[in-house]
Amino acid sequence: MSLLQSILMGIIQGATEFLPVSSSGHLALFKIIFNVNTETGLLFDTMLHLGTLVAVCIVYWKDVCNLIVAAFQLLFDIIANFKTWISNKKNGEYTAYRRLINSAYKKFVVLILITTIPTGIMGVAFSSLIERASQTLLVPGICLVITAILLLISDTRPSGHKKVKKTTYANAAVIGVAQGFATFPGLSRSGTTITACLMLGFDRAYAVKYSFLISLPAIDAAAVAGGSIAYYFIGMIVAGVVGYICIKLMIYIVRSNKFQYFAYYCAVVGIIAIIAYFVKG
């Protein structure tokens, strides 16, 4: 993989991870069309995702910090309640337990965890299928057309009123399933989850925030070895910078109901990929 390819893939990842056009689909198409070999399979994709992870943390740094604090508070409360339970059993007494969900951020932590569970299960169950799907033009093409349809649907949905307090745990699970399907190349993760949020009656600004914050647990760090480590990090940095810009752009896009333009783009790219698949045989 050359330096230019690394930079181009960083730009593609940074832009398409947060704009509703599917980063995995575009990366798959880029690799197939330009015959890019990253030598380490999914490792370079992971590095690119780490760059966009940093972008999310920068844009939503206050929320991320509050979520981390709330997660530790929730953990300490669970440990304290477990100790209380042991004490009550041992001494035959009843000491009141701590209330676990007593703030919006604690509930947000639980919502993110619930969303992550079905996504993780589906990601593991479909991992081999997803990897094979990334090696053909047909699947990303079809999924990009589906993304276009989802985006057109989302533009017809008015902004709801649900925020953290009104979001149910069932809502979180449904969004997790939607995010699980979005692991297939060509299905936009942000487009799919934001559409799911809007269908469930979420406030538009909250839908964007929820979509981006639930992406954090899905990204794992990977150890890097080999001669192209510098190129990998360059791609990661480019993805982070472009991703930061695109998050800001995405917030404006969702509020102004302009998804249809991305829908047309996804439809065109998807159809071209499908045609190219059959032409190449």
Side-chain angles (χ1 to χ4, degrees):
M1 182 178 61
S2 68
L3 175 60
L4 178 60
Q5 289 174 334
S6 176
I7 293 173
L8 287 175
M9 290 179 71
I11 293 173
I12 292 170
Q13 169 65 26
T16 58
E17 175 67 21
F18 300 116
L19 296 179
V21 293
S22 177
S23 61
S24 59
H26 278 72
L27 288 172
L29 293 177
F30 182 85
K31 290 177 184 178
I32 293 170
I33 293 171
F34 294 98
N35 195 27
V36 177
N37 180 15
T38 56
E39 289 106 27
T40 52
L42 295 176
L43 177 55
F44 185 60
D45 289 356
T46 303
M47 293 290 290
L48 294 178
H49 278 84
L50 287 175
T52 51
L53 168 65
V54 174
V56 174
C57 291
I58 292 174
V59 173
Y60 291 107
W61 69 272
K62 288 184 179 180
D63 290 300
V64 172
C65 290
N66 287 329
L67 285 170
I68 292 172
V69 171
F72 278 107
Q73 289 175 341
L74 190 60
L75 178 61
F76 293 149
D77 287 344
I78 291 173
I79 293 172
N81 281 348
F82 182 67
K83 290 181 178 179
T84 299
W85 178 79
I86 293 175
S87 177
N88 287 343
K89 287 291 184 179
K90 183 178 180 180
N91 301 322
E93 301 173 350
Y94 179 77
T95 302
Y97 295 99
R98 294 185 184 184
R99 184 183 174 190
L100 296 179
I101 310 300
N102 56 10
S103 72
Y105 277 107
K106 281 187 177 179
K107 183 176 181 181
F108 209 158
V109 169
V110 177
L111 289 171
I112 291 174
L113 289 175
I114 292 174
T115 296
T116 302
I117 291 171
T119 300
I121 293 173
M122 294 173 70
V124 172
F126 300 150
S127 59
S128 59
L129 185 60
I130 292 168
E131 191 167 355
R132 289 198 300 271
S134 300
Q135 298 169 0
T136 175
L137 289 169
L138 182 61
V139 176
I142 293 173
C143 288
L144 280 167
V145 173
I146 295 173
T147 294
I149 295 170
L150 291 175
L151 295 179
L152 289 174
I153 291 172
S154 69
D155 257 358
T156 65
R157 300 295 301 177
S159 179
H161 303 287
K162 280 187 181 180
K163 293 189 178 180
V164 177
K165 290 185 178 180
K166 291 186 178 181
T167 303
T168 66
Y169 299 125
N171 291 158
V174 170
I175 296 167
V177 172
Q179 184 172 238
F181 280 114
T183 55
F184 282 90
L187 275 178
S188 166
R189 194 204 62 79
S190 62
T192 302
T193 54
I194 289 173
T195 300
C197 288
L198 294 176
M199 294 291 288
L200 292 169
F202 283 27
D203 171 83
R204 282 188 169 266
Y206 173 58
V208 177
K209 180 187 293 188
Y210 195 93
S211 173
F212 290 158
L213 290 178
I214 60 174
S215 71
L216 300 181
I219 304 171
D220 295 322
V224 183
S228 39
I229 182 172
Y231 291 176
Y232 282 24
F233 274 104
I234 290 172
M236 181 180 69
I237 292 169
V238 171
V241 173
V242 176
Y244 175 84
I245 296 170
C246 289
I247 291 175
K248 293 291 189 178
L249 178 61
M250 187 65 172
I251 294 171
Y252 166 75
I253 290 169
V254 173
R255 287 176 176 172
S256 56
N257 288 27
K258 296 184 182 296
F259 267 173
Q260 70 267 24
Y261 302 112
F262 293 99
Y264 303 148
Y265 169 79
C266 287
V268 170
V269 174
I271 291 170
I272 291 173
I274 294 170
I275 293 172
Y277 170 80
F278 287 107
V279 169
K280 290 178 66 176

